[in-house]
Amino acid sequence: MASMRGSKLKGAVVVLAMTAAVMVSAPAAHAQDVLVLAAASLKNALETIAKDFHNKSGVTVTSSFAASSALAKQIENGAPADIFLSADLDWMNYAQKRDLIKADSRINLLGNDLVLIAPKDSNVAVDLKTGFDLAAVLGDGRLATGDPSNVPVGKYAQAALEKLGMWAAIAPKLARADNVRAALALVSRGEAPLGIVYRTDAVIDKGVKIVATFPADSHPPITYPLALTATSRNANAQLFYSYLKSSEALGVFREFGFVPVAKPE
């Protein structure tokens, strides 16, 4: 993965050269840091991209990861964030309706897949089709996913299970996690026999395996919108926002399993 990035990043300074003259002329130690609030599923990819950006620009990007619902509420409560990256449209809509983001900066950046996971040594067999008795497979165990009342992955999971006719039997068996990484951890530690997470989360945890992928038409498209916050006056935030849309950054997201939907800039 690192070698792939190395070849892609040779010309990455072009992304910054057009807009970063002032920043380049100033000592890196005086560059204003950028604060990003991002969905938990973006952690590994975004930290890699932030490191690449820092190596090119000298600007430090600090990211805080949680459920999109929690992040939107943090922005509403005055968190000094520069950029918001949500795991669904609903929480970005929430922020936009309250004038918490710069609406003209909002774009759909990435897509993802919804998968069913089990501990790596599990022998469970699942067929995600209408009528399959997933509750019987669980037995006395629980299915870990985000809380469907507010966590995007849980909302996608509920929609998919409803479409497949499984929700009524599964709902009482849910282990409702605060975010997708918490749900992933429950399965990885063997505390839940099954879980619903994003594909990108499943592939970075060696303690789990994907046992099935939910049909794309069983839930709304998994979409990650990006926007600058309304209160940010940080010129470096604009630079990182632009970098997130670059072919270099989108290439890193792709390496981590995301599906870029934005056109590279």
Side-chain angles (χ1 to χ4, degrees):
M1 187 176 292
S3 60
M4 292 177 64
R5 287 203 307 278
S7 60
K8 294 177 181 178
L9 296 174
K10 291 179 180 178
V13 291
V14 175
V15 177
L16 301 176
M18 299 296 291
T19 54
V22 174
M23 181 182 66
V24 170
S25 65
H30 295 97
Q32 186 176 0
D33 292 356
V34 178
L35 176 59
V36 179
L37 299 190
S41 52
L42 293 161
K43 179 177 172 60
N44 299 71
L46 193 58
E47 286 182 341
T48 299
I49 291 168
K51 181 178 179 180
D52 292 340
F53 179 75
H54 176 75
N55 289 340
K56 299 176 198 321
S57 66
V59 176
T60 297
V61 177
T62 301
S63 300
S64 177
F65 301 98
S68 301
S69 52
L71 299 175
K73 294 295 183 65
Q74 288 176 26
I75 296 171
E76 186 175 23
N77 291 329
D82 296 301
I83 292 172
F84 179 34
L85 246 173
S86 172
D88 73 352
L89 299 176
D90 288 347
W91 286 106
M92 188 62 80
N93 291 342
Y94 178 96
Q96 184 168 343
K97 288 177 182 177
R98 289 159 178 77
D99 297 321
L100 302 175
I101 63 166
K102 296 174 182 175
D104 60 355
S105 73
R106 176 177 174 173
I107 65 164
N108 291 337
L109 190 68
L110 304 166
N112 212 331
D113 295 316
L114 192 69
V115 300
L116 186 72
I117 60 171
K120 64 179 180 180
D121 297 327
S122 173
N123 295 318
V124 67
V126 175
D127 186 1
L128 288 177
K129 64 180 182 182
T130 302
F132 183 81
D133 194 351
L134 188 60
V137 175
L138 278 170
D140 294 332
R142 291 188 173 272
L143 186 147
T145 193
D147 187 339
S149 69
N150 59 15
V151 179
V153 70
K155 294 162 64 179
Y156 292 124
Q158 179 175 347
L161 293 171
E162 287 177 343
K163 182 70 177 290
L164 296 172
M166 303 175 184
W167 175 248
I170 292 295
K173 295 176 175 286
L174 284 188
R176 299 168 182 254
D178 291 338
N179 60 66
V180 68
R181 289 298 174 90
L184 178 69
L186 288 174
V187 180
S188 184
R189 295 195 300 259
E191 296 175 24
L194 292 172
I196 299 176
V197 300
Y198 303 122
R199 181 179 300 279
T200 52
D201 297 294
V203 298
I204 57 93
D205 191 325
K206 303 304 181 184
V208 306
K209 64 180 180 180
I210 297 172
V211 296
T213 300
F214 284 89
D217 63 358
S218 68
H219 56 82
I222 298 171
T223 305
Y224 291 74
L226 163 72
L228 291 162
T229 63
T231 56
S232 178
R233 301 294 183 268
N234 185 349
N236 291 335
Q238 177 65 58
L239 290 176
F240 187 60
Y241 165 83
S242 297
Y243 185 71
L244 287 169
K245 300 183 292 178
S246 71
S247 59
E248 289 77 22
L250 292 176
V252 175
F253 280 123
R254 188 178 289 108
E255 288 177 26
F256 280 89
F258 293 93
V259 180
V261 297
K263 183 178 179 181
E265 295 182 2

